[in-house]
């Protein structure tokens, strides 16, 4: 499990250190740096998959696309070096990169990572999962990939393989993380547990994958209160949420799962229940990095602390914001910073920074 992530001269941050635990919530208004922190991890994973982990960073790939060195480097940096540090199990691994303004490949300057160290970092484990904010919409049919499903254990970073994953492994794989089992007395197979959690997050919904081997495709049927529908006739919410449910249910202790905006196209109750599922997965030892704008997701996590599902000590809240300092005769200096309010045992927060999921209270003040 990653204990700390530090970046230097990386996009909007001159220096940033983020302490991590099991469940890590990244919040803040747009363009405050949440995605930049996630991109640092994705770039390392991307380099690993492209075989350049100890050679350099490919800024543009399947997982993330930054642009060129100019887009990567902190604008006010006085140095020509970008660095990423990852700490785990008492060891810190550092990557320093030479700045090349016009290239989408940044050559490595130095690293203390050895081949034997790779297996110690969950970023590079075959069980690593990333679900992007830009997920695939409803499709009549979804593609298949034996390599991705069996050899890489992936549902696709856009969720494009979730149907194939359920069709191939839903009735053979059992959920190993006991904390996320919907009911201790029910079937532990992945497909059944996915159906149960989906029915809570989106009531009245039942999912059934169908393989069309002759066409090399797989389909999904949704049963909505007794009637069957194809994905294109039930809206975006289900296609967006099922890949997240599958990723959380298949994850095991020490696995790393990164999720962006799980609340997309979900109604408020579904968002709260998603927060509870995320908390339960983390309580079972999965490391989750969650980027969200949803107070309902946060409330689901807070309620999970209050009910004893997860210890508050296993949660880190990170609120990213801008600080503007006026400088005499020089205008102003804008820096990107973060703070970390704490969830208390009763589900309340130690403090509530301005802008941290407080829009509802502000609206109520204006209404009344």
């Amino acid at each position: 499990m990653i204990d700390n992530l530090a970046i230097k001269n990386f996009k909007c941050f001159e220096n940033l250190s983020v302490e991590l635990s099991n469940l890590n919530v990244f919040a803040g208004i747009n363009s405050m740096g949440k995605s930049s922190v996630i991109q640092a991890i994705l770039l390392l994973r991307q380099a690993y998959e492209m075989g350049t982990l100890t050679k350099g960073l490919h800024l543009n790939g399947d997982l993330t696309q930054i642009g060129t060195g100019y887009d990567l480097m902190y604008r006010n940096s006085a140095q020509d070096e970008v660095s990423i540090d990852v700490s785990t199990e008492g060891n810190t691994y550092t990557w320093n990169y030479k700045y090349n303004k016009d290239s989408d490949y940044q050559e490595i300057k130095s690293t203390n990572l050895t081949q034997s160290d790779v297996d110690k970092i969950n970023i590079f484990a075959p069980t690593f999962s990333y679900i992007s904010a830009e997920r695939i919409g409803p499709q009549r049919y979804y593609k298949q990939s034996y390599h991705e499903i069996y050899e890489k254990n992936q549902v696709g970073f856009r969720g494009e393989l979730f149907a194939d994953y359920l069709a191939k492994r839903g009735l053979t794989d059992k959920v190993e993380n006991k904390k996320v089992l919907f009911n201790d007395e029910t079937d532990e197979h992945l497909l059944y547990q996915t159906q149960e959690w989906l029915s809570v997050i989106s009531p009245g919904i039942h999912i059934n994958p169908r393989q069309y081997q002759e066409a090399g495709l797989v389909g999904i049927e949704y049963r909505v209160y007794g009637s069957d529908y194809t994905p294109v006739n039930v809206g975006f919410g289900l296609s967006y949420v099922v890949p997240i449910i599958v990723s959380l249910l298949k994850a095991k202790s020490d696995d790393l799962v990164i999720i962006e905006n799980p609340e997309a196209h979900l109604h408020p109750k579904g968002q709260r229940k998603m927060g509870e599922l995320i908390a339960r997965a983390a309580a079972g030892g999965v490391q989750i990095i969650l980027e969200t704008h949803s107070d309902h997701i946060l409330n689901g996590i807070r309620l999970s602390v209050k009910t004893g599902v997860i210890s508050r000590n296993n949660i880190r809240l990170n609120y990213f914001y801008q600080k503007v300092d006026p400088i005499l005769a020089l205008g102003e200096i804008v820096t990107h910073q973060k703070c970390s309010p704490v969830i208390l045992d009763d589900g309340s927060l130690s403090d509530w920074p301005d802008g941290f999921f407080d829009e509802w209270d502000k609206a109520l003040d204006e209404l009344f």
Side-chain angles (χ1 to χ4, degrees):
M1 182 177 296
I2 306 172
D3 302 315
N4 191 273
L5 175 71
I7 52 180
K8 182 178 180 181
N9 294 327
F10 190 99
K11 299 192 72 175
C12 63
F13 295 107
E14 182 176 14
N15 278 294
L16 179 72
S17 178
V18 182
E19 183 180 355
L20 299 175
S21 186
N22 289 78
L23 176 51
N24 307 277
V25 180
F26 290 1
I29 65 173
N30 302 102
S31 299
M32 291 297 106
K34 305 182 301 296
S35 296
S36 295
V37 179
I38 291 175
Q39 284 174 332
I41 296 175
L42 296 180
L43 282 174
L44 290 177
R45 177 71 187 192
Q46 193 159 273
Y48 168 76
E49 293 188 352
M50 300 177 80
T52 62
L53 188 56
T54 58
K55 300 175 183 177
L57 281 183
H58 290 277
L59 301 186
N60 300 316
D62 290 337
L63 290 177
T64 189
Q65 297 188 7
I66 303 294
T68 65
Y70 179 76
D71 302 296
L72 179 70
M73 174 66 79
Y74 175 65
R75 288 288 188 267
N76 298 321
S77 175
Q79 301 174 311
D80 60 354
E81 181 178 291
V82 175
S83 68
I84 304 173
D85 291 358
V86 174
S87 298
T88 179
E89 298 180 354
N91 298 306
T92 298
Y93 304 98
T94 300
W95 291 262
N96 298 310
Y97 301 96
K98 301 176 184 176
Y99 173 52
N100 188 331
K101 177 181 177 181
D102 300 318
S103 177
D104 68 343
Y105 180 78
Q106 305 295 294
E107 185 180 349
I108 204 159
K109 185 175 181 179
S110 63
T111 182
N112 63 343
L113 183 81
T114 65
Q115 188 58 43
S116 62
D117 295 324
V118 173
D119 294 337
K120 302 175 184 177
I121 307 173
N122 58 11
I123 298 173
F124 312 123
T127 49
F128 170 90
S129 293
Y130 166 55
I131 303 296
S132 166
E134 186 181 358
R135 299 190 280 282
I136 193 169
Q139 308 284 315
R140 288 193 177 274
Y141 303 103
Y142 298 85
K143 68 177 184 177
Q144 299 187 57
S145 174
Y146 182 96
H147 174 68
E148 292 288 332
I149 298 303
Y150 284 111
E151 297 177 1
K152 297 184 67 178
N153 193 35
Q154 299 295 312
V155 300
F157 71 94
R158 297 182 63 225
E160 68 273 16
L161 295 170
F162 84 88
D164 193 30
Y165 198 99
L166 286 176
K168 285 186 168 69
R169 304 184 64 163
L171 293 176
T172 59
D173 291 10
K174 289 188 176 182
V175 174
E176 294 191 19
N177 183 356
K178 302 304 181 183
K179 294 289 187 179
V180 297
L181 290 178
F182 184 79
N183 188 317
D184 291 339
E185 303 300 324
T186 57
D187 193 329
E188 296 181 4
H189 283 97
L190 177 63
L191 178 59
Y192 182 86
Q193 291 294 322
T194 300
Q195 290 171 340
E196 291 298 307
W197 275 106
L198 181 61
S199 70
V200 171
I201 293 172
S202 291
I205 304 295
H206 184 88
I207 187 172
N208 184 36
R210 293 184 177 275
Q211 287 186 296
Y212 302 94
Q213 298 288 5
E214 67 281 358
L217 298 170
V218 62
I220 284 286
E221 282 185 352
Y222 293 105
R223 175 161 291 186
V224 185
Y225 294 110
S227 299
D228 294 331
Y229 298 92
T230 60
V232 295
N233 291 307
V234 293
F236 274 74
L238 298 181
S239 296
Y240 264 50
V241 74
V242 178
I244 297 174
I245 296 175
V246 174
S247 295
L248 291 170
L249 293 181
K250 74 181 182 65
K252 305 171 186 176
S253 182
D254 294 328
D255 287 354
L256 175 59
V257 179
I258 300 175
I259 306 171
E260 294 178 340
N261 302 122
E263 67 271 16
H265 300 288
L266 272 183
H267 58 92
K269 180 181 178 181
Q271 293 178 38
R272 173 188 156 180
K273 292 299 181 181
M274 176 60 74
E276 293 177 10
L277 174 57
I278 289 169
R280 288 175 64 167
V286 180
Q287 184 166 40
I288 299 171
I289 296 176
L290 170 69
E291 180 184 358
T292 182
H293 295 278
S294 170
D295 52 348
H296 303 296
I297 293 277
L298 176 63
N299 288 340
I301 295 170
R302 293 170 61 195
L303 285 166
S304 297
V305 171
K306 182 175 182 178
T307 56
V309 170
I310 185 172
S311 168
R312 67 186 182 94
N313 297 322
N314 292 332
I315 301 174
R316 297 288 183 274
L317 303 181
N318 293 280
Y319 174 57
F320 295 84
Y321 63 97
Q322 279 185 343
K323 183 179 180 181
V324 181
D325 293 322
I327 304 298
L328 185 63
L330 295 177
E332 60 186 24
I333 294 179
V334 178
T335 58
H336 288 254
Q337 301 187 12
K338 76 168 183 68
C339 61
S340 298
V342 175
I343 300 178
L344 304 179
D345 287 332
D346 63 356
S348 62
L349 296 184
S350 60
D351 60 290
W352 208 293
D354 184 49
F356 181 73
F357 296 110
D358 58 2
E359 196 58 35
W360 176 240
D361 290 333
K362 291 180 178 179
L364 285 178
D365 288 342
E366 291 185 29
L367 285 169
F368 300 107

